[in-house]
Amino acid sequence: MDWERPPHRGQGPGVPPDLEQVINRLRQRFSFPSMKGGAFWIVALVVLVLVVGANAYYTVDPQETAVVLRFGRFVRTEGPGLHFKIPFGVETVTKVLTGRVLQREYGYRTVAPGVRSRFVEEGFEEEARMLSGDLNVVDLQWTVQYKIRDPMEYLFRLHDVESTLDDISESVMRRIVGNRFADEVLTVGRASIAEMARQEIQEIMDMYHTGLQIVTVKLQNANPPDPVKAAFNEVNEARQEKERMINEAQQAYNERIPKARGEARQTVTQAEGYATQRINRAIGETTRFRSILDEYEKAPDVTRRRMYLEAMTEFAAKAGNFLVLDSGGAGVLPILDLNQVVRQWAEAGSVPGKAGE
Amino acid sequence: MSAMPQNLRIPVIVVAVVLGVLAAGSLFIVSETEQVVITQWGRPVGEPITRAGLHFKLPIIQKANFFEKRVLKWDGSPNQIPTRDKKYIWVDTTARWRIKDPLLFLQRVGNVSTALSRLDGIIDSVVRDHVSNNYLGELVRSEGWKRARESLIEAGLDDYQIILGEEGEADSEGLVALKKGREKITREMVADASRLLPEFGIELLDIRIKRINYVQSVQQRVFERMISERKRIAAQYRSEGEGERAAILGQMERDLARIQSEAYRTAEEIRGKADAQATRIYAETFGKNPEFYQFYQTLDFYKRYENPRGLFVLGTDAELFRYLQEREPEGVNP
């Protein structure tokens, strides 16, 4: 039992060795034959020099600038490399990352940067959500890239520069978005919003002497809030549908009209063809008739008979049956086989009353 | 040191320690980020020290009070405030301030955390007053809002024009000329709050509205409004599409009718002219001897006749018989 144990006495393992013993031991260790009583002080001095030395230099990385204060007052800045300072808190060194472009993210955070960075949006909706000028709601994600241009201003003029940058960034972005229609913010306005934001944030940061230089402001995503997205997409679909309808109608127009024009030309051309044909035939026929008429007028009787019979010959060859009726009275005459008669004429090669030419 | 007589050793050490304590009590370091007020038995003496470096004071009886020299940040907690048009919104504000007069600050406030709680009270109430005195639109928009619609139109975004066109200028959201706008309201906030702050030795540099968001229930309604707006825009596009399609198809019908009828007309005119010309040609020629022409045409008909199954009924007085009977035809005009 613990409380029955006798109190611990004597040299335990945890008791520090007596100081005098240590000094004696040191003395023995460092007591060279040449050394006398002053040897101890020499050793002490060496230790002191080492401590001072360790405290009197510092190194600055390439992307850093060192700001040196002597008794709290700024004395100099130093670039990369090895530098010396007065030790024991007389000069203190603060290193500031001046060479690197730093980044703040709003409305989302990068969790695993890389070639294909992963982002988290959950939990940052409040940062992203803002009101547009038409009092609609948009979700905007953006980044601000900045550099520390002036490490002294950065350190001495404003307390907590980064969180101020966050405040100003959010405030400025909301002011700009609040001055535009949601439609513009979500579509074509992004580049101009980003540039405007960069200028405004820079102005305010300069006003407060934060020593920051805003390199770029980039708008990552600008979306309508989730519940509204579908409706926005519907508008896009409707717009495409409209285009499609117009295109289809235009296509129908383009298919039908040229065809109709072609057909129209065909109709006219056909008419012209008909006209040419009609007139030519008329000229042809009349010329022929005139020739015949000339001949006829020379010997009307004979010619007339010849023509008549020639025609009849041809006709009888083609026509079917004849029925001859006595025009004097009613009733049917015995049928005369005219075919026969005419055929006989044809075979004889002579037509009664044919003009000898 | 080792040469020091034995009897002096102790006093020397004591003096050294005392001197050290006094030095530590009379020297103090002021950093670039700090300003100091020296108080003697609690009463401030002399001017505040704003220059960085090593400074002296009397040990023990004087005390160095350090204050922040840099510009400090105040961050309000989001408040739910109704605007003048009775819209409930969350307003999150932030401000920057600095200790302008450390003496006053020391007397009236004392330290930064007390100052922040004072600022809480003052700025929150000022913000509340201004928010509830202004329309939401005024808080969201700022100078240059008038340009917004123009830039919307310039950008060729006609979606929203549909809505604007329906509602005209005096819509419910008051898309009208701005009276103040966000910056002016925040400037007024600063002015109002600053009036209360000099007595604390604090200078307020700005107040900024960091975030404005609708409260949950209002946001739901806003979403609904946005959805219905979009649906209206979509419907408008669809009907425009239908309309334009109908217009194009109508034009097509019209053009078709015109093209076809014009072609028909032209063709008929051409045919008519040709017919007329042919008729004239025929008439000129045939008119020379109509009787013969008739005869000639009749014969032509017979010649061209092509129907082997036709039955012809001839009267005995037909011309044919006259020839067959070797009789002279009559009525032949010379």
Side-chain angles (χ1 to χ4, degrees):
Chain A
M1 289 290 172
D2 275 353
W3 59 86
E4 286 179 0
R5 205 197 290 165
H8 180 79
R9 291 184 201 288
Q11 290 259 9
V15 177
D18 192 34
L19 194 65
E20 229 172 296
Q21 281 183 4
V22 173
I23 290 169
N24 283 337
R25 229 180 281 159
L26 277 170
R27 271 189 186 167
Q28 283 160 14
R29 189 159 300 174
F30 292 104
S31 65
F32 302 104
S34 59
M35 279 175 86
K36 292 191 172 51
F40 167 73
W41 294 108
I42 290 168
V43 171
L45 194 72
V46 169
V47 170
L48 186 73
V49 167
L50 283 176
V51 171
V52 169
N55 226 322
Y57 78 92
Y58 58 96
T59 56
V60 182
D61 287 348
Q63 67 269 24
E64 291 175 333
T65 303
V67 177
V68 183
L69 304 180
R70 184 181 303 149
F71 291 123
R73 189 193 306 171
F74 169 78
V75 281
R76 64 184 183 270
T77 58
E78 297 283 8
L82 178 69
H83 301 284
F84 296 95
K85 64 181 173 84
I86 305 167
F88 304 128
V90 175
E91 285 189 345
T92 54
V93 177
T94 314
K95 293 172 191 172
V96 182
L97 264 179
T98 48
R100 198 171 284 171
V101 176
L102 305 159
Q103 176 167 309
R104 305 291 280 188
E105 297 166 332
Y106 303 95
Y108 76 105
R109 296 289 182 275
T110 308
V111 280
V115 182
R116 301 190 58 182
S117 302
R118 285 198 302 118
F119 303 109
V120 173
E121 293 179 15
E122 255 170 78
F124 303 105
E125 294 93 342
E126 283 296 309
E127 247 176 41
R129 183 144 296 177
M130 50 187 81
L131 268 64
S132 61
D134 44 348
L135 306 187
N136 286 332
V137 182
V138 294
D139 286 345
L140 198 61
Q141 298 169 345
W142 74 102
T143 54
V144 174
Q145 294 186 333
Y146 64 98
K147 272 167 74 173
I148 300 168
R149 190 177 48 199
D150 184 339
M152 288 169 52
E153 282 196 340
Y154 175 77
L155 288 173
F156 306 139
R157 301 300 293 272
L158 191 128
H159 183 258
D160 201 353
V161 171
E162 270 78 11
S163 83
T164 299
L165 173 62
D166 290 349
D167 285 353
I168 300 296
S169 169
E170 285 204 34
S171 165
V172 163
M173 193 54 85
R174 279 176 171 74
R175 189 198 75 72
I176 293 171
V177 169
N179 234 7
R180 291 170 190 237
F181 282 86
D183 285 20
E184 195 187 351
V185 176
L186 295 173
T187 53
V188 297
R190 298 170 42 139
S192 68
I193 288 172
E195 178 51 24
M196 204 167 169
R198 192 193 63 77
Q199 283 174 11
E200 267 189 53
I201 296 170
Q202 183 70 68
E203 275 168 29
I204 295 167
M205 293 325 262
D206 288 349
M207 195 172 87
Y208 290 130
H209 303 286
T210 54
L212 296 189
Q213 181 196 349
I214 310 297
V215 181
T216 49
V217 173
K218 273 209 279 279
L219 261 58
Q220 305 290 355
N221 277 319
N223 291 319
D226 284 338
V228 187
K229 265 183 192 156
F232 270 82
N233 291 339
E234 199 183 320
V235 171
N236 289 336
E237 281 163 22
R239 201 186 296 120
Q240 277 156 8
E241 208 172 312
K242 174 183 167 180
E243 292 298 314
R244 203 198 51 190
M245 282 176 176
I246 293 170
N247 287 342
E248 278 174 4
Q250 202 65 50
Q251 193 185 340
Y253 185 96
N254 292 347
E255 276 171 7
R256 299 274 307 271
I257 294 295
K259 186 166 164 234
R261 287 218 171 90
E263 282 169 352
R265 273 204 303 278
Q266 185 188 18
T267 309
V268 173
T269 317
Q270 277 173 347
E272 281 164 354
Y274 166 86
T276 314
Q277 186 192 32
R278 188 99 169 86
I279 290 162
N280 283 341
R281 284 184 63 156
I283 293 169
E285 282 171 17
T286 50
T287 311
R288 179 180 166 198
F289 178 78
R290 207 169 288 174
S291 317
I292 294 168
L293 186 65
D294 285 351
E295 289 308 312
Y296 169 78
E297 278 168 353
K298 283 175 193 165
D301 248 12
V302 179
T303 311
R304 194 183 177 99
R305 192 176 301 171
R306 180 185 58 81
M307 285 171 72
Y308 182 82
L309 290 172
E310 265 178 17
M312 280 303 150
T313 311
E314 227 173 300
F315 172 64
K318 285 183 290 189
N321 308 306
F322 290 91
L323 195 60
V324 182
L325 291 176
D326 185 4
S327 46
V332 183
L333 274 179
I335 293 168
L336 173 73
D337 193 355
L338 264 180
N339 290 355
Q340 200 60 42
V341 175
V342 178
R343 236 173 260 131
Q344 280 167 358
W345 288 343
E347 280 160 17
S350 61
V351 175
K354 192 173 179 180
E357 288 156 28
Chain B
M1 288 294 275
S2 56
M4 204 180 277
Q6 281 292 333
N7 58 352
L8 274 182
R9 234 184 224 190
I10 307 277
V12 165
I13 289 169
V14 169
V15 168
V17 167
V18 168
L19 278 176
V21 168
L22 288 179
S26 63
L27 286 175
F28 60 96
I29 289 171
V30 179
S31 165
E32 292 281 357
T33 63
E34 293 165 330
Q35 47 190 349
V36 171
V37 175
I38 292 174
T39 51
Q40 190 168 322
W41 306 123
R43 271 192 314 105
V45 287
E47 283 299 299
I49 298 162
T50 54
R51 198 160 176 275
L54 197 59
H55 294 271
F56 296 91
K57 64 178 177 64
L58 298 176
I60 302 163
I61 58 166
Q62 287 188 341
K63 183 163 165 269
N65 302 274
F66 289 82
F67 298 105
E68 185 67 59
K69 194 165 72 175
R70 290 175 291 183
V71 173
L72 293 158
K73 179 180 134 165
W74 172 87
D75 200 2
S77 48
N79 270 310
Q80 195 179 325
I81 311 170
T83 59
R84 193 169 167 181
D85 38 344
K86 298 288 174 290
K87 293 203 168 88
Y88 276 86
I89 51 171
W90 288 103
V91 182
D92 190 355
T93 45
T94 166
R96 255 134 302 277
W97 61 285
R98 60 191 189 90
I99 301 166
K100 194 182 180 184
D101 186 342
L103 265 176
L104 262 182
F105 187 81
L106 173 64
Q107 288 162 341
R108 303 276 165 83
V109 187
N111 60 37
V112 169
S113 61
T114 312
L116 285 175
S117 70
R118 294 281 164 84
L119 284 171
D120 280 346
I122 291 167
I123 297 177
D124 278 343
S125 78
V126 165
V127 167
R128 184 172 287 276
D129 289 349
H130 280 273
V131 169
S132 51
N133 267 329
N134 282 295
Y135 294 104
L136 176 59
E138 298 273 331
L139 291 160
V140 171
R141 298 160 194 162
S142 41
E143 279 149 39
W145 165 244
K146 275 207 287 289
R147 283 262 318 121
R149 186 184 301 197
E150 288 160 34
S151 68
L152 190 73
I153 297 164
E154 278 166 23
L157 297 165
D158 35 17
D159 280 15
Y160 211 76
Q161 288 303 307
I162 292 165
I163 301 293
L164 293 177
E166 281 177 8
E167 293 171 350
E169 284 294 312
D171 66 322
S172 56
E173 298 299 349
L175 292 171
V176 285
L178 215 57
K179 283 199 276 294
K180 285 183 187 170
R182 187 179 188 140
E183 288 114 331
K184 205 165 172 192
I185 292 170
T186 51
R187 278 200 296 274
E188 284 176 3
M189 286 178 187
V190 175
D192 282 5
S194 295
R195 233 171 283 141
L196 302 164
L197 288 170
E199 55 174 307
F200 298 127
I202 290 172
E203 182 190 12
L204 187 66
L205 300 169
D206 72 347
I207 299 175
R208 287 179 189 279
I209 297 174
K210 195 162 77 170
R211 294 179 192 169
I212 291 182
N213 276 326
Y214 292 111
V215 300
Q216 204 57 41
S217 58
V218 178
Q219 181 163 282
Q220 213 46 52
R221 284 211 304 278
V222 170
F223 284 171
E224 279 158 20
R225 192 197 73 211
M226 285 172 83
I227 290 170
S228 68
E229 269 176 9
R230 294 293 134 185
K231 286 213 183 300
R232 256 161 47 207
I233 293 167
Q236 172 86 12
Y237 275 129
R238 288 204 188 91
S239 70
E240 275 176 13
E242 302 269 3
E244 299 217 16
R245 181 169 66 182
I248 292 170
L249 292 179
Q251 197 184 359
M252 183 181 82
E253 294 298 334
R254 196 190 66 191
D255 288 358
L256 277 179
R258 185 175 51 79
I259 290 166
Q260 285 164 349
S261 62
E262 275 177 6
Y264 182 78
R265 195 185 76 193
T266 313
E268 287 302 294
E269 281 169 3
I270 292 169
R271 281 174 210 267
K273 275 196 192 121
D275 284 343
Q277 208 175 335
T279 308
R280 196 166 44 78
I281 294 169
Y282 285 127
E284 272 173 10
T285 310
F286 299 149
K288 288 185 174 168
N289 190 338
E291 193 280 330
F292 178 70
Y293 171 69
Q294 210 176 340
F295 171 71
Y296 176 83
Q297 281 288 309
T298 311
L299 291 189
D300 212 38
F301 164 76
Y302 285 126
K303 270 186 192 169
R304 286 182 202 190
Y305 184 76
E306 292 266 9
N307 186 358
R309 288 207 300 278
L311 170 65
F312 279 81
V313 179
L314 298 175
T316 41
D317 57 351
E319 224 170 326
L320 186 57
F321 290 105
R322 267 188 293 169
Y323 291 123
L324 292 175
Q325 291 158 8
E326 298 284 328
R327 262 170 42 189
E328 285 297 312
E330 298 162 16
V332 178
N333 295 332

